[in-house]
């Protein structure tokens, strides 16, 4: 019945120009024309009042049940679901907290990385110093070997000269001994 009234009002309003004004008697006339074809007893307005009057008690009972929470969580009034904005706020806070934790971890890792780089630099400098020391020791060793080789050559030459001198002296002694033997004989 209400759908008929609405349809009739739409057709009527669609035929009215934008400048035209719809008055209350026009609306009552539309409702009467929409309701009269439906029933046989009474006017259209009386039928609408009767129809809505029969719906009113059940609507009032439903509103009371909704207020009492009978329809919440399938009749379970103890467990109330939190509103979506609260759920989203909690989710945002958790994400924000997680972001703060990740930020702290990132700062810790950055500091740790910085310290490791500093240690690597110090170790690199130590290795460089050790390499310089090793080069200096190798040069000293080479110089000592050269000096040792030079001293060895010098000692060998002195030894050969000493042997030569000894052999010369030995020959001279033999010659002298021969000479003494000759003179005494």
């Amino acid at each position: 019945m209400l759908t008929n009234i609405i349809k009739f009002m739409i057709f009527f309003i669609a035929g009215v120009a934008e400048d035209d004004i719809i008055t209350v008697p026009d609306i009552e006339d539309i409702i009467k024309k929409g309701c009269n074809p439906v029933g046989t007893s009474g006017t259209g307005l009386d039928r609408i009042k009767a129809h809505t009057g029969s719906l009113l008690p059940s609507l009032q009972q439903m509103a009371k049940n909704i207020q009492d929470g009978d329809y919440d969580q399938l009749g379970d009034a103890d467990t109330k679901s939190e509103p979506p904005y609260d759920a989203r706020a909690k989710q945002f806070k958790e994400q924000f907290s997680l972001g703060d934790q990740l930020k702290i971890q990132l700062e810790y890792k950055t500091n740790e990385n910085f310290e490791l780089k500093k240690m690597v630099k110090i170790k690199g400098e130590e290795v460089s110093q050790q390499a310089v020391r090793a080069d200096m020791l190798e040069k000293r060793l080479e110089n000592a070997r050269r000096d040792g080789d030079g001293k060895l050559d010098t000692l060998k030459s002195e030894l050969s000269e000493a042997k030569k001198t000894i052999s010369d002296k030995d020959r001279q002694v033999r010659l002298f001994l021969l000479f003494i033997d000759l003179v005494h004989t």
Side-chain angles (χ1 to χ4, degrees), residues 13-62:
I13 292 173
V16 176
E18 290 184 26
D19 298 340
D20 292 343
I21 296 175
I22 301 175
T23 61
V24 174
D26 290 337
I27 294 173
E28 287 179 356
D29 187 42
I30 292 169
I31 292 173
K32 285 179 187 176
K33 287 180 184 176
C35 293
N36 285 340
V38 175
T40 56
S41 65
T43 64
L45 290 175
D46 293 334
R47 279 182 265 171
I48 290 174
K49 286 179 186 176
H51 184 66
T52 54
S54 66
L55 292 176
L56 191 58
S58 57
L59 288 174
Q60 286 175 339
Q61 181 63 34
M62 186 192 298

Side-chain angles (χ1 to χ4, degrees), residues 136-155:
M136 290 173 58
L137 288 174
E138 285 177 5
K139 286 181 183 177
R140 281 187 189 171
L141 181 63
E142 184 66 29
N143 290 338
R145 189 178 56 79
R146 279 191 213 142
D147 290 345
D149 287 347
K151 286 183 180 180
L152 182 63
D153 289 342
T154 305
L155 288 175

Side-chain angles (χ1 to χ4, degrees), residues 12-179:
F12 179 77
I13 292 173
V16 176
E18 290 184 26
D19 298 340
D20 292 343
I21 296 175
I22 301 175
T23 61
V24 174
D26 290 337
I27 294 173
E28 287 179 356
D29 187 42
I30 292 169
I31 292 173
K32 285 179 187 176
K33 287 180 184 176
C35 293
N36 285 340
V38 175
T40 56
S41 65
T43 64
L45 290 175
D46 293 334
R47 279 182 265 171
I48 290 174
K49 286 179 186 176
H51 184 66
T52 54
S54 66
L55 292 176
L56 191 58
S58 57
L59 288 174
Q60 286 175 339
Q61 181 63 34
M62 186 192 298
K64 182 179 179 286
N65 290 342
I66 288 173
Q67 286 177 349
D68 291 343
D70 292 345
Y71 297 114
D72 293 345
Q73 296 291 327
L74 301 173
D76 188 10
D78 294 339
T79 50
K80 303 264 182 182
S81 66
E82 63 181 342
Y85 55 86
D86 282 344
R88 181 63 183 131
K90 284 182 183 177
Q91 184 182 11
F92 179 76
K93 287 178 183 176
E94 290 171 0
Q95 289 174 348
F96 193 74
S97 173
L98 180 63
D100 284 343
Q101 290 173 358
L102 290 176
K103 183 179 177 183
I104 291 169
Q105 287 178 354
L106 181 64
E107 288 175 359
Y108 174 76
K109 291 293 182 183
T110 303
N111 290 339
E112 188 176 295
N113 191 16
F114 178 74
E115 294 296 324
L116 288 175
K117 284 182 180 180
K118 193 188 291 184
M119 287 175 53
V120 166
K121 185 178 179 182
I122 291 170
K123 292 295 181 185
E125 289 174 359
E126 288 177 4
V127 167
S128 172
Q129 289 175 356
Q130 291 298 331
V132 169
R133 288 182 188 155
D135 287 343
M136 290 173 58
L137 288 174
E138 285 177 5
K139 286 181 183 177
R140 281 187 189 171
L141 181 63
E142 184 66 29
N143 290 338
R145 189 178 56 79
R146 279 191 213 142
D147 290 345
D149 287 347
K151 286 183 180 180
L152 182 63
D153 289 342
T154 305
L155 288 175
K156 281 184 182 179
S157 65
E158 286 178 10
L159 179 64
S160 64
E161 283 181 29
K163 283 183 181 180
K164 192 176 186 185
T165 307
I166 290 173
S167 67
D168 285 344
K169 295 281 180 177
D170 187 39
R171 211 174 335 141
Q172 285 176 3
V173 169
R174 277 191 223 153
L175 283 175
F176 183 69
L177 285 176
L178 268 174
F179 179 72

